[in-house]
Amino acid sequence: MAGLRTLLAACTLLSPALAQTCWLNTNCTGPLEAAFPGPWESNIYSPASRSLSPASILALDTATVISSYPGPSTLVGNASALVFDFGIEVGGIVTVDYSTIGGAGALGLAFTEAKNWIGLASDSSSGGFSRGVGDQACDDGAIYSYFTSAGNHSYTMDVPHLRGGFRYLTLFLLTNGTNGTTLSIDDVKLEIGFQPTWSNLRAYQGYFHSNDEELNKIWYSGAYTLQTNAVPINTGRQIPALKTGWANNGTLSNGTTVIVDGAKRDRAVWPGDMGIAVPSTFVSIGDLESVKNALQTMYDHQNQDGSFPEAGPPLLQQGSDTYHMWTMIGTYNYLLYTNDTAFLSHNWAQYQFAMEYVYGKVLQPLGLLNVTGLRDWARQATGGNSSEPNMILYRTLITGADLAAWSGNGSLASTYSSRATTLATNINAHLYDASYGAFVDNTTTTLHPQDANSMALLFGVVSNTSATAQSISERLTDNWRELGAEAPELPNNISPFISSFEIQGHLAIGQTARALELIRRSWGWYLNHPNGTGSTVIEGYLTNGSFAYRNYRGYDYDAAYVSHAHGWSSGPTSALTNYVLGLEVTGRLGSAWGLAPQFGGLTSVEGGFVTGLGRFRAGWTVVEGGGV
């Protein structure tokens, strides 16, 4: 028999932050120190300083290490090049000090997140699919420092050319080939641009530590991804997309920092992504200022009919019923973690308008949401009585009932709750395929999607103690491939975004081992991939292991466009804290909390997070033979 020792610490106050240098002229408002110092900090990927040097130098043709940095760094002749590897995903402004002998020329700078794309042109970020096949393909290319004579030179990228996400920097020489130019690279420095209000990038307000080192690293790769997705508000991707080069000078929100979908791209607020990113942010880095600014920009751009945009400015893409609802769910998550009643009061009338807009699409006789805003996360089929949007509407109504109660409107809370109960009944009556044991995609198909079935478990559309829930969980494993769960609604693709809902769905019904297996199979595969960032979570990939996610579904077969630091894939970070450690807040600001560990073959887990009430911390250890 195994015994369990559970540790729970009381809330304590945080140390005051001291004024230090942050991004450019940004006012420092972030924490100065980690809330939970300890040996687990060795798993934090974030560097100790905002000014960073490369870790090693690679040969361009073989991508093998020549030396650690600093090392021999001389370029001789036209198109000669060296690759500077920072060892992790980074982003910001590069400064290169160099000296030349001979005639005029240019030093080129090219960037990539994945090792696949190192070369004299950057990977794709601007939205024109530089390596695609379409007629409108553009080219991110490189940026250049021109010199006209021999001597010492220094080049610093301008802020509009900030590169939000990369690991590899290729420096190359362009000359006319006859002037005998030699270029010596004297120093390479990066000024990190993400998490702009933090002077200490390692001042995490949450932590996780277990006896499984791979799970620990996966948790921290999600946390670090979320850091790279917290960006200065004036560094969004320029819209419309440039035909040549890139520009990150779009205004995203008010404030000083905002959470976006990806470090390299799209660099815009996407509320669907926040459905995964915000809970993971809360339990790890704790940056809810960026979350608030992201949500507020959605309210600031609400349409006259009550709908929210699918994405924030400067993109302001429209026409998504699901992302409309994700803004509303995001409002609940933010209030749960902060109890920011001023934010709720300021936006409450608009929230109610948004609820009536989307609930007005619930039509009889089925009593299901009839989707007309067709844009979604990349799934192929959308519209009509689709099961996934109905699952999201159920969650929207349930969380809306809590928000109504928190705003002091008990009658409205009852209305939203009653609507949710009726909707769940209709979902189960019209969309559940009892012969198969899972939900269908809509009332006219036999496809059983990953997204809707995962959400049915996680959101409680089916009872977590029912045989139906167990059947759905088992049926989801039918989609599992060697490298993760294929999404039937996007064939040949593995979406860590939707798989983030799946792992939480398995955990919600006690299928711990199943969830941990999928985490290791998918996130573990990418984290250990020799061509990946080794530090962040990828947007998606194909079942054959190619990074060419969505190649046929919107990305014009441009595999270099895929983001390798995408917050919507950070689900294991919150899942491991909330379910495996078992610690979660259930009342605003942690006024109520739960502790329900799930062991899954692990022998020890501890972790914690911070709210305005203080630190919440728990741990458990399984001891053979019983006792403490």
Side-chain angles (χ1 to χ4, degrees), residues 110-145:
F111 304 83
T112 177
E113 293 181 298
K115 190 183 288 185
N116 308 54
W117 314 118
I118 60 174
L120 307 191
S122 302
D123 58 8
S124 304
S125 76
S126 67
F129 310 114
S130 65
R131 300 169 192 258
V133 297
D135 293 338
Q136 302 302 314
C138 72
D139 188 0
D140 273 40
I143 54 177
Y144 298 94
S145 171

Side-chain angles (χ1 to χ4, degrees), residues 498-518:
I498 300 305
S499 292
S500 288
F501 292 112
E502 179 173 340
I503 60 172
Q504 292 179 85
H506 293 309
L507 289 165
I509 66 166
Q511 286 289 350
T512 316
R514 193 169 284 167
L516 294 180
E517 166 62 21
L518 184 54

Side-chain angles (χ1 to χ4, degrees), residues 18-22 26-28 32 199-200:
L18 302 178
Q20 291 188 11
T21 301
C22 292
T26 302
N27 183 39
C28 294
L32 179 63
S199 58
N200 180 0

Side-chain angles (χ1 to χ4, degrees), residues 56-90:
S56 59
I57 305 172
L58 312 183
L60 176 63
D61 54 347
T62 63
T64 56
V65 176
I66 297 172
S67 72
S68 59
Y69 181 88
S73 303
T74 300
L75 305 177
V76 181
N78 189 50
S80 57
L82 291 170
V83 180
F84 293 79
D85 178 7
F86 284 82
I88 55 173
E89 175 90 2
V90 293

